[in-house]
Amino acid sequence: MTMQIKSWEAYQSAYRCSVADPEGFWAEQAKSFVWRKPWSKVLEWEFDTPRVQWFIDGKLNITENCLDRHLPQRAQQPAIIWEPNDPNAPNRVLTYGELYEAVNKTANALKANGIGKGDRVCFYMPMVPELAIGVLACARIGAVHSVVFAGFSAAALADRIKDAACKMVICSDFNNRGAKHIPVKAVVDEALQMGCDSVQTVLVHRNTGDDIAWMPARDKWWHEQVDSQPSECPAEVMDSEDMLFILYTSGSTGKPKGVVHTIGGYMVYTCFTFRNVFQYQEGDIYWCTADIGWITGHSYIVYGPLLAGATTMMFEGVPTWPDPGRFWQIVEKYKVNQFYTAPTAIRALMAHGDEWVEKYDLSSLKVIGSVGEPINEEAWRWYHDKVGRGKAPIVDTWWQTETGGIMISPIPGATDTKPCYASYPMPGIQPVLVDAAGNEIEGNDVEGLLCIKFPWPSILRTTYGDHARCKQTYFAPFPGKYFTGDGARRDAEGRYRIIGRVDDVINVSGHRIGTAEVENAINEHPLVVESAVVGFPHPIKGQGIYAFVIVQGQIADTAQFEQEVRQVVSRVIGPIAKPDYIHIAPGLPKTRSGKIMRRILRKIASGDTENLGDTSTLLNPEVVEALIASAKAAH
Ligand code: WT7
């Protein structure tokens, strides 16, 4: 197993060693895994192209490390515990032995359906064990998984299927989530009418048993394909730098990009960070409430925990159904030891009052985690006092889809915690703060743009099909460094506090949404001439979406119009991107070169119009007054 840090001294020494001799440090961690052939060189890199390679020439299969190597000691130990949406329905427990068999059978079924090494397979599924089984089955045979969060629309799904030219889509029939009964296969059917020519097969997992439309030439039942397969499937021997998965994420411009992670480095880093951040001990029950459709689910529900031989939970439902005590009822039921969730969930539950959390026995919790967005002090204190009962340390973990694993976080028992601070970098992570001109800001008690100046094993390798975009987004802004898109502050002792995105990305309930994407969607409405979307502080979601919309002529029924705009966004992207506010605006503040001044729009959307800063470069200053006046009317 990779090293587990247990004291401040051990952290300092590991960190020092990881900076002085990164290759030696990571080689030591990598040695604890099963390799078919060892690497010949640990690292080669330059951030200009960019080109980063870890564990060069190493051959392995990540599923042998997640499954096979655990069988001698853990065949009977639960690998995945699945808690259904309905608290009265039976749960499912898959031991390492059972998960091994399910993955192998599924891998054989994929092969039988023409999927092989390098082929892309898209998943559009709710939180059921088959999703985890399916992605591992891909990894077993060297196919590349591309999981699309099942809340995205058919159009968004089609974009992602086409971008990666997926050969197969795996989905469920329907999904039960809270009180909702959501068609899943129907969305896939709709997406596949949008020119997804690469797709040959749709593999359908029977989840609820509801009736669905069927295309006999294309659609196949999971159980019919999988159940009769042999329970051994030889693991494909893969290269360290072969692709493991693609995961789409939003940026400030254009369509979502497919972030590419490769096998060797991702394996070493997710296991290492899982063991250290959560201080997982033999026999612990670990629960991350994320969806596998996001990177948190990939790294800290599936790969990290299974690599570490942990028991990882999957929850099908939502925090507030059937009541706001659901999370805590589950913690009590399974005696969960590590609990990992998002600030938006904490704030939503906090708003329902303390009675729900006080009703349950949470004494099993040893570490509680936060991820996805900045956690405000009030939520941090509530989480600490009510959920952690003042005893379980909070790990505020900062990282990104692109970083593959946790970058900055406390290590319980080794480093301290401080409200709102992700605190110290993990071993191997070399953060720097720079100013807008790219000059490194040295010393402590300073603020700047957060960059990382040395590669870590799970750094993204490219954006699928567009390496130039990877360079332009992450490596060109500050040559020689990886740019995170976040602003941060470093306190007097060197702890980091993440302030938030400095680009045109909005973080809504921990979901990354590109303003350009929402604008493009809104502009599809026939009466919209132009739109500008910004984030504003939202008490539960962290940030909300505020859309300034310029329309053609007069809108007779504004309520109807707003509803139509929301519907368009829902259709093009998905319900998560629906604007909270739609402001029918008289105009947009623009510079003489025609650029929208978003800085001013952000202030208006936040109701912070006392000091708008420098407006001297505005082409149309009069529009600002009109916007402020109409914004007041809109709120
Ligand atoms: C962005 C990345 C990493 C998994 C989930 C989100 C924000 C993430 C924190 C944190 C403050 C955070 C950043 C980052 N973020 N964690 N602990 N404190 N902000 O992954 O969708 O790729 O989003 O989420 O702004 O850049 P993602």
Side-chain angles (χ1 to χ4, degrees), residues 249 295-296 370-375 396-402 422 484 486 498 500-501 507 510 512:
T249 192
I295 190 71
T296 308
S370 170
V371 62
E373 45 172 327
I375 179 166
D396 177 357
T397 62
W398 172 82
W399 56 297
Q400 311 177 295
T401 305
E402 295 86 343
T484 64
D486 282 317
I498 309 302
R501 303 292 304 195
N507 195 326
R512 238 164 102 170

Side-chain angles (χ1 to χ4, degrees), residues 247-250 259 290 294-297 300 340 343 370-375 395-406 408 420-422 450 482 484-487 497-503 505 507 510-513:
L247 188 58
Y248 286 83
T249 192
S250 294
V259 169
W294 311 111
I295 190 71
T296 308
Y300 299 109
Y340 192 26
S370 170
V371 62
E373 45 172 327
I375 179 166
V395 288
D396 177 357
T397 62
W398 172 82
W399 56 297
Q400 311 177 295
T401 305
E402 295 86 343
T403 70
I406 294 167
I408 305 183
C420 309
Y421 277 76
L450 181 62
Y482 166 82
T484 64
D486 282 317
R497 171 182 190 156
I498 309 302
I499 297 161
R501 303 292 304 195
V502 295
D503 53 8
V505 168
N507 195 326
H511 304 321
R512 238 164 102 170
I513 294 173

Side-chain angles (χ1 to χ4, degrees), residues 323-325 328-329 332 354-362:
D323 64 51
W328 321 127
Q329 176 251 327
E332 180 183 276
D354 297 352
E355 57 183 284
W356 296 105
V357 53
E358 282 166 359
K359 214 169 121 178
Y360 296 98
D361 177 7
L362 306 183

Side-chain angles (χ1 to χ4, degrees), residues 30 33-39 55 58-60 240 264 267-268:
F33 295 87
V34 175
W35 296 80
R36 291 290 190 95
K37 177 175 165 275
W39 55 91
F55 312 114
K59 306 285 178 207
L60 76 165
S240 285
M267 171 182 80
V268 172

Side-chain angles (χ1 to χ4, degrees), residues 84-352:
N85 182 57
D86 176 355
N88 300 314
N91 70 357
R92 285 170 65 186
V93 178
L94 283 104
T95 64
Y96 271 90
E98 288 161 343
L99 182 62
Y100 172 85
E101 185 174 328
V103 169
N104 278 266
K105 284 186 162 189
T106 309
N108 281 324
L110 294 180
K111 273 190 179 169
N113 282 282
I115 300 299
K117 186 169 177 170
D119 288 336
R120 275 83 54 210
V121 175
C122 177
F123 288 83
Y124 187 78
M125 285 178 97
M127 283 289 285
V128 289
E130 282 68 18
L131 175 52
I133 293 166
V135 304
L136 292 167
C138 285
R140 186 81 178 170
I141 63 171
V144 175
H145 53 82
S146 168
V147 182
V148 176
F149 174 62
F152 279 115
S153 69
L157 173 61
D159 280 346
R160 287 157 175 78
I161 292 172
K162 284 187 271 190
D163 188 75
C166 296
K167 212 166 163 184
M168 180 186 270
V169 179
I170 306 187
C171 68
S172 297
D173 48 7
F174 272 74
N175 171 14
N176 290 319
R177 217 172 120 75
K180 292 191 194 139
H181 189 59
I182 305 161
V184 178
K185 164 74 159 54
V187 178
V188 173
D189 289 340
E190 199 186 331
L192 294 189
Q193 283 172 2
M194 301 180 187
C196 302
D197 304 333
S198 55
V199 176
Q200 294 170 0
T201 313
V202 176
L203 192 62
V204 187
H205 164 244
R206 185 180 273 160
N207 186 34
T208 62
D210 293 89
D211 277 348
I212 48 173
W214 199 256
M215 277 184 53
R218 186 197 71 187
D219 301 346
K220 294 181 178 175
W221 282 113
W222 171 294
H223 57 270
E224 287 177 2
Q225 297 299 313
V226 171
D227 292 356
S228 55
Q229 292 291 339
S231 45
E232 291 282 341
C233 173
E236 190 74 34
V237 178
M238 305 296 288
D239 190 90
S240 285
E241 285 298 334
D242 279 335
M243 216 181 283
L244 177 61
F245 65 85
I246 306 170
L247 188 58
Y248 286 83
T249 192
S250 294
S252 42
T253 54
K255 291 204 165 175
K257 3 175 214 297
V259 169
V260 170
H261 284 290
T262 57
I263 300 167
Y266 179 85
M267 171 182 80
V268 172
Y269 195 73
T270 53
C271 182
F272 176 83
T273 48
F274 172 76
R275 282 176 40 82
N276 283 290
V277 170
F278 297 102
Q279 288 292 309
Y280 186 87
Q281 303 303 317
E282 202 65 43
D284 282 351
I285 307 289
Y286 162 87
W287 180 23
C288 166
T289 70
D291 192 289
I292 293 177
W294 311 111
I295 190 71
T296 308
H298 282 61
S299 303
Y300 299 109
I301 295 178
V302 182
Y303 287 110
L306 295 178
L307 286 163
T311 298
T312 178
M313 289 199 47
M314 275 180 80
F315 174 43
E316 187 183 30
V318 296
T320 48
W321 191 85
D323 64 51
R326 188 69 199 276
F327 271 4
W328 321 127
Q329 176 251 327
I330 297 173
V331 169
E332 180 183 276
K333 176 173 173 189
Y334 295 98
K335 300 193 171 48
V336 171
N337 302 110
Q338 292 88 4
F339 176 74
Y340 192 26
T341 196
T344 189
I346 298 166
R347 288 189 296 261
L349 295 177
M350 188 168 84
H352 285 280

